[in-house]
Structures are given as C-alpha cells and as structure tokens.
Amino acid sequence: MQTELSKKLGVEHAIFGFTPFPAVAAAISRAGGFGVLGAVRYTAPDDLKRDLDWIEAHVEGKPYGLDVVMPAKKVEGVSEADVEAMIPEGHRQFVKDTLAKYGVPELAEGEVSGWRITGWMEQVARSQLDVAFDYPIRLLANALGSPPADVVARAHEQGVVVAALAGSARHAVKHKEGGIDIVVAQGYEAGGHTGEIASMVLTPEVVDAVDPLPVLAAGGIGSGQQVAAALALGAQGAWLGSLWLTCTEADVSSPAVTRKLLAAGSGDTVRSRALTGKPARQLRTEWTDAWDDQAGPGTLPMPLQGLLVADALTRIQKYEVEPLLGTPVGQIVGRMNGERSVQAVFDDLTRGFDNAIDRMIRIAGRSGK
C-alpha cells in the first residue's frame, strides 16, 4: 500500500492512524503505517513530554506525527476563566438536572475533571507545539483546518510537513492557499468533528480542487478494500481514527465503553454538538439525546460547551453510567466487532487491499478482451 506520499515519509503502508493513545500510535508506526498522536487532552506540557518520550522509546525509529487543535485566527487576552464566565446559569442547571436524573455520583472532594477541553484553546496548543518541536516528529496535523501562518512556517523550518482536515473542497482550497502540505478529506461518516459530505463524494472533489497536493481520505474507512477505493478516487493514503479504539493497545476510558463500541452497529452513532459545541460524530446515548432534544436549552458554541460538560463527562466515565456513556466514533464502528492488536488490524488491511487490487486487475483484464 505504497504511494508517492508514503515513500516521501518513509512508511511501508499509506495508512495514517490518528489516536489519543501513545501505545497505539507507536504500534501503528511499527506495523508500517504512520502513527499520529492526538494532543488535545494534554493540558500540561510535561504530560505530553512524558508520552512523546515513551513513543520515542517504543517506535523503533519509525516516523510519527502529532495532531493539535487550534484556530487559524488568534484571540488575544482570553483565559479559561474568562470563557467559563460566559456559560449561562441555565445550561449549568440543565447539566445538574440531567446528572441527577440518572443518579450520577459527585466526584470526591478535591478531585478535578480528567477531561478538559482547554486543548481547544490556542495558547494550550502552542504550548504543546513548544514541546513537540523538540522531538523528531515528521508531520503536524490540525483538526480545525489550517493552523496560523507562523505555525506553518515554524513547522516547515524544522522539516515537518503540515496537514489539515477539510470537510469540503472550499475548505481544502483555503488550506492549499495557507501553505498546507497535505489535505485530509474527512467525510460525513468520520468520528469526531466532521462535515456533511460523504467520503465517496468528498475525496475526488478535494483531490481535483487542490491538485497537485496529496490528499488523504478519511471517514468510514476500516478495511483494505476501502483503502483501495480511496486510492482509486485519487487519494494518496487513508486517515483512520475510529478503527483503533478497540485495539488491545488502546487505553479506552472504561470497559463499558469498549463493550458499547463492540456492540454498536453503523447506525448507532449521531452527529451531535453535545461534546464540544461543533458537530461531532459519536455513539448515540441518552446524553446526546438530552442535548439534541428541542425541549432542552441547546448546546453552546465551542469552547463553551466543552468547558460546560467537562466535569459531567468525567463523572459519567468514572462511574460508568452506561445510558450516558459514549465516545467519539465513526460509522465504521459497525465493523469493530472484536478486540485485536494493531498488527492484526494491519494484517487484515493489507490482505483486504491485496484482494481488492487482484479483483480489479481481473475485471480490467476481462474488459480489455
């Protein structure tokens, strides 16, 4: 599964694996793909340094990258406390009432939320980059589109290629104009933040719009056959995220989350603003239903929604309140029916890819007679 881009980055397979788990990122790179560690949960620079040290010790010299979340436009002088103060009291009460309805216990005295959305704030992302650029990362990806121009320039100065996610050809063109090296065309089926255009339509649109920049196809990809289809549509690789959540190396928040992922079908996700304030695909739960109910107060814009629900989500996860318990995941969850190692996933991907290519060669051979 090699392309011009995978050869440039020194990887055996054109599979780019996004994951919040260092062990998964390292395993993806060891298996011949390109592991990309999600940095949004690292609010303390020392924590990111610790995990990048771990990856360096376990990646066997293979290339890897980092995914951050930062807006292209800078907002000066706004602290987390300033943002928190913007949250309406009615929304705070709705959270309290919903948690009380399901009997979710309080955190212990002095215990703080383990899930903070401050990683969405630019100053936190910049502190992450100050750490990351001390490591030999090969790729920097931004989930909110093109990062600020000075960040792109800094990455290029250090020989780091920059990728940005796009949900439309229009966004992809803006990324190209901003000096981005790789566009990730993220279809509607994807987990987490995603647009409204399906991968089969989006990928070739973006390929044509940003030519000759390389494009990675993302959203709904979980088999080698789908990787082959992405390359046939003009992509130079596939960006996979959800598929790694049920790998044995993944440190998912609770066994209950893993059980729900393994039991879910492709129709058991919903694109909701309940998590961050922007549409994000996740498991449908009674928590997402409550926020999407027109009788409720409605969600707040990013980053207010994330700050509002941070403590609530920590409590839901800690006490495994299953009706409310969810996680970002794409529609490919319907194929995630068992726990496997990252290497086993790669074995399946390469086998499926070879089978798909052989089948197309046979079809082409017959049609040419």
Side-chain angles (χ1 to χ4, degrees):
M1 290 190 286
Q2 279 205 336
T3 64
E4 182 180 345
L5 178 61
S6 66
K7 292 175 183 177
K8 175 182 177 181
L9 292 175
V11 294
E12 182 180 359
H13 302 300
I15 299 293
F16 295 73
F18 165 81
T19 174
F21 309 119
V24 175
I28 290 169
S29 291
R30 289 198 307 270
F34 194 105
V36 181
L37 179 67
V40 70
R41 66 192 181 100
Y42 293 99
T43 57
D46 286 347
D47 291 342
L48 179 58
K49 183 179 186 304
R50 176 201 64 213
D51 283 355
L52 288 176
D53 283 340
W54 191 94
I55 289 177
E56 273 291 297
H58 293 84
V59 81
E60 298 178 356
K62 302 293 179 64
Y64 63 94
L66 191 76
D67 179 280
V68 297
V69 180
M70 61 190 310
K73 295 181 180 179
K74 188 172 184 178
V75 179
E76 300 281 2
V78 179
S79 68
E80 181 180 343
D82 294 332
V83 177
E84 289 254 23
M86 301 177 189
I87 298 173
E89 185 56 38
H91 282 73
R92 296 185 188 277
Q93 189 61 49
F94 179 76
V95 170
K96 293 177 183 177
D97 292 344
T98 304
L99 296 178
K101 177 181 176 181
Y102 290 90
V104 182
E106 297 277 356
L107 295 176
E109 186 175 353
E111 186 176 0
V112 297
S113 168
W115 191 94
R116 300 297 287 172
I117 203 67
T118 50
W120 301 103
M121 302 179 72
E122 183 187 356
Q123 61 264 38
V124 177
R126 285 184 177 274
S127 70
Q128 294 165 349
L129 293 177
D130 288 339
V131 172
F133 282 137
D134 286 336
Y135 292 81
I137 62 171
R138 293 292 309 280
L139 178 145
L140 172 66
N142 187 28
L144 282 185
S146 302
D150 68 295
V151 172
V152 176
R154 183 180 179 188
H156 287 165
E157 287 171 2
Q158 300 195 202
V160 177
V161 297
V162 182
L165 277 65
S168 71
R170 178 172 56 87
H171 292 154
V173 170
K174 289 184 177 180
H175 298 342
K176 181 180 180 180
E177 292 170 349
I180 297 301
D181 306 294
I182 302 169
V183 176
V184 181
Q186 186 178 34
Y188 173 83
E189 309 95 325
H193 295 107
T194 183
E196 299 182 357
I197 305 173
S199 298
M200 183 65 74
V201 175
L202 179 67
T203 301
E205 283 188 352
V206 171
V207 168
D208 290 344
V210 303
D211 183 59
L213 286 188
V215 173
L216 300 178
I221 300 176
S223 71
Q225 292 90 335
Q226 290 170 308
V227 175
L231 299 191
L233 293 172
Q236 289 205 29
W239 177 278
L240 281 62
S242 298
L243 193 63
W244 317 110
L245 290 172
T246 52
C247 286
T248 53
E249 295 92 341
D251 184 20
V252 177
S253 58
S254 74
V257 169
T258 300
R259 289 196 301 271
K260 294 187 80 170
L261 288 169
L262 295 175
S266 56
D268 292 326
T269 68
V270 63
R271 192 165 161 269
S272 171
R273 298 177 184 268
L275 187 63
T276 67
K278 284 185 176 291
R281 187 170 297 285
Q282 55 204 281
L283 283 177
R284 181 176 181 177
T285 66
E286 293 184 34
W287 176 258
T288 62
D289 285 349
W291 281 104
D292 295 338
D293 190 334
Q294 292 186 354
T299 55
L300 297 170
M302 180 187 283
L304 299 181
Q305 181 71 16
L307 290 170
L308 169 65
V309 303
D311 288 340
L313 294 179
T314 295
R315 291 163 60 185
I316 291 167
Q317 291 172 359
K318 176 178 179 177
Y319 299 110
E320 295 194 325
V321 184
E322 293 210 25
L324 305 179
L325 190 62
T327 185
V329 70
Q331 291 180 330
I332 198 63
V333 70
R335 294 183 63 97
M336 296 157 52
N337 301 318
E339 295 183 76
R340 299 179 295 167
S341 68
V342 168
Q343 184 61 61
V345 171
F346 263 86
D347 292 342
D348 186 57
L349 289 170
T350 54
R351 185 165 48 247
F353 180 85
D354 289 342
N355 290 341
I357 295 300
D358 288 344
R359 179 173 180 272
M360 296 309 298
I361 289 173
R362 291 196 302 271
I363 291 172
R366 285 199 300 270
S367 65
K369 291 182 179 179

